[in-house]
């Protein structure tokens, strides 16, 4: 997936009727032709509508183990396409390191099996934005994501969190767009 220009992202926001926040916000681009267990999506850190601060490989989909055997009886969570204004805040991933956690319930679709293609609408308070490995870039999603947005490279994640920490904001808007 190629890094989009701020103009392309602004066009997508206008097309979908999404608010363009003035401060720091995250835009996750889900590969319309994505594959199971692949880091084939992109996370963009934006400042307003005109400045793309950083873009990196991520997944917006759960890994194969969680699609095959969901942790939740209602099914495996997959972030729904859309926007959650002020939906994220600073927190900890499994109590271990700083990440972004829901400040509001995040809309998701719940899939009951790997072959389920429709998904039932729901919401989640446990979907986060975090990294995969702490030491190296991950090539396969696997058990790194049970429904979170997960950044493949720990250096990219550190850059994202650097922008978050220096923004002076307590909440962050997150927008998920199907791309391509």
């Amino acid at each position: 997936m190629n890094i989009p220009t701020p103009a392309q992202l602004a066009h997508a926001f206008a097309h979908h009727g999404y608010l363009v926040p003035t401060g720091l916000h995250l835009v996750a681009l889900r590969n319309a032709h994505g594959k199971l267990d692949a880091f084939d999506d992109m996370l963009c850190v934006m400042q307003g509508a005109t400045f793309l601060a950083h873009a990196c490989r991520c997944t917006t989909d759960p890994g194969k183990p969680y699609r095959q055997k969901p942790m939740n009886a209602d099914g495996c969570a997959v972030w729904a396409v859309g926007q959650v204004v002020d939906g994220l805040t600073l927190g900890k991933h499994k109590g271990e390191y700083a990440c972004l956690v829901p400040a509001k319930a995040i809309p998701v679709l719940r899939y009951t099996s790997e072959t389920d293609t429709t998904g039932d609408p729901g919401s989640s308070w446990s979907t986060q934005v975090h990294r995969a490995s702490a030491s190296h870039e991950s090539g396969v999603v696997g058990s790194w994501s049970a429904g979170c947005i997960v950044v493949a490279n720990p250096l990219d994640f550190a850059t994202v969190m650097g922008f978050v920490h220096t923004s002076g904001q307590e909440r962050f808007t997150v927008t998920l767009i199907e791309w391509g």
Side-chain angles (χ1 to χ4, degrees):
M1 182 180 295
N2 293 325
I3 297 173
T5 66
Q8 289 171 314
L9 291 172
H11 175 77
F13 270 64
H15 175 75
H16 294 291
Y18 297 148
L19 166 79
V20 178
T22 55
L24 192 77
H25 60 105
L26 302 179
V27 182
L29 304 175
R30 177 176 286 144
N31 186 336
H33 308 289
K35 295 180 177 74
L36 183 62
D37 249 5
F39 285 100
D40 55 5
D41 303 324
M42 185 173 293
L43 182 64
C44 302
V45 180
M46 298 285 298
Q47 181 71 39
T50 59
F51 182 64
L52 175 62
H54 189 70
C56 58
R57 273 186 342 120
C58 74
T59 185
T60 61
D61 303 304
K64 188 175 182 177
Y66 295 109
R67 282 298 297 265
Q68 291 175 331
K69 188 175 180 184
M71 293 172 61
N72 186 306
D74 293 332
C76 185
V78 176
W79 283 61
V81 170
Q83 184 177 62
V84 185
V85 175
D86 294 334
L88 298 173
T89 191
L90 278 169
K92 296 266 186 185
H93 181 66
K94 298 182 179 179
E96 297 173 9
Y97 63 89
C99 72
L100 290 165
V101 300
K104 300 177 178 179
I106 303 294
V108 297
L109 296 174
R110 295 247 178 225
Y111 294 86
T112 55
S113 72
E114 182 181 349
T115 57
D116 183 356
T117 58
T118 55
D120 293 321
S123 63
S124 174
W125 281 93
S126 39
T127 50
Q128 302 176 347
V129 178
H130 64 87
R131 62 167 163 71
S133 172
S135 62
H136 63 276
E137 184 166 7
S138 298
V140 176
V141 176
S143 61
W144 291 118
S145 177
C148 298
I149 294 173
V150 180
V151 176
N153 186 311
L155 298 176
D156 281 326
F157 182 72
T159 300
V160 170
M161 293 306 292
F163 284 113
V164 166
H165 286 295
T166 60
S167 71
Q169 295 173 219
E170 290 184 19
R171 299 231 174 150
F172 302 88
T173 295
V174 59
T175 307
L176 193 145
I177 300 170
E178 190 163 317
W179 197 260

